[in-house]
Amino acid sequence: MTDYNTITTLAEKYGTPLYVYNRQIFEKNADILLNTILPGARLFYSIKANPLVGVCQIFRNKGLGIECASAGELKTAVKAGFEGQDIVFTSPGKTAAEISLAMEIGVKVINVETVAEAQLIDAIASERGVNYPIAVRINPAISYSNAKIKMAGVSSQFGIEEADIDTAIPEILALNHVTLIGVQMYMGTEILMYEDAVSNTEYGIKLATAMAEKFDFRLKYLNVGGGFGVKYFPNESPLDTDALAAAMKELKATYAEVLADTEVIFESGRFLTATAGEYITRVLYVKESKGTKYVVCDGGSSFHSASAFLGRFVRNNFPLHVFPEGEEKTVTTITGPLCTPLDVIGQKVEINANIAPDDYVVIENSGAYGLTYSPVFFLGHELPAEVLIDGEDVIVLRESQDADILLRGQHTL
């Protein structure tokens, strides 16, 4: 947690709302996962969690690869210094232009979601006179995970159904300008039970090795996803990374022989980034309405939609605190400045009873799916800056953008 003096200094210099990240926490999280996943496996950063070039550079410097899902993310990865062989490309809706860009960059592998996509990649590879490596994403038939968001065993736009493997894989293998080198799966996200992460990994190993044997292709690449979760709420327990590391070592010993020729890859976005970021917003007004106390701030859900649980059926509260903290507490609802009742970033939270204009509300665990995940153009407020604390230094990762950004590219009648 960033201290009050630092928050005040940063807010005065860069304005509010403001995202503040901590380099040392990014690096610590990377070290934890690097020592937790299957021994010998590689860790790839899922750029969607926080696509700032500076954040990507931190993980590149830690030896991670990067997983991208659009042309913009591919270009960001290249700008951050990633080589093609350190990039994988995954998306359920890749365009021909994006596939061509991925090939031009020379990404390690394109993860294929449908037979039709494999055929498109084959046609583009043929035009370019190359044979391109691909992996098939499989949507498993079952899910035994307690992940908050299940991505296996349910109807999904992602991947080829496990039940369709027998028809889909021969069609892909018959193509002349792609080479099937592996399998990708992603069973779910926000996983907090280490047993689930182990079970998901083992399921992926078993299915992929069985596929390679049945269809006679060399399994050079196995992407078992990740989904490693972060504790957000009081009733949750954090992921036991020590227990996970021990279980992964046992798993590696069990499957060392069958994986001797296979590069195993894990992905992570949230675990790597969430705890390294804070969202700082300044109090504008305090008011009462029909027995409820409201604190209205200058930054809300348009810049941090995850904290307002936009798109979720059940809302909760991110961990947050206020400065000054105060000894006397009261239950308050914290909102942003938007003209919508959905702009609530703290519902019925217990905070300083004497909170006043120009105090600060700090939403923790905001390093993942923060500004990048939010409807930033809604209601036309100035976009917040994003800064990185690096020891004694503060680095601006992205400058604030004034409201004129809304008019760029527009034309009058």
Side-chain angles (χ1 to χ4, degrees), residues 42 44-45 47 64-70 73-90 101-102 105-111 132-133 221 223 265:
R42 280 202 71 188
F44 275 57
Y45 173 49
I47 187 177
L64 276 61
I66 194 163
E67 179 255 332
C68 301
S70 70
E73 290 187 349
L74 287 168
K75 291 178 179 180
T76 300
V78 171
K79 186 174 179 65
F82 286 90
E83 301 290 338
Q85 284 303 299
D86 293 321
I87 303 171
V88 298
F89 186 32
T90 305
L101 176 62
I105 292 170
V107 303
K108 181 183 191 67
V109 63
I110 301 175
N111 293 317
Y132 216 84
Y221 165 94
N223 186 330
I265 286 174

Side-chain angles (χ1 to χ4, degrees), residues 19 21 71 90 116 147 179 198 205 210 218 230 234 277 279 291 316-317 337 354 364 390 410:
Y19 275 93
Y21 306 109
T90 305
T179 300
V198 176
I205 293 170
R218 183 182 169 196
V230 170
Y279 180 59
N316 208 322
N317 294 310
N354 298 310
E364 301 164 23
D390 185 2
Q410 293 197 45

Side-chain angles (χ1 to χ4, degrees), residues 21-33:
Y21 306 109
N22 189 297
R23 178 173 190 153
Q24 283 65 45
I25 297 176
F26 283 132
E27 292 176 336
K28 181 192 75 173
N29 292 343
D31 287 336
I32 289 171
L33 273 193

Side-chain angles (χ1 to χ4, degrees), residues 110-121:
I110 301 175
N111 293 317
V112 171
E113 311 266 354
T114 65
V115 173
E117 184 190 316
Q119 292 167 340
L120 176 59
I121 296 169

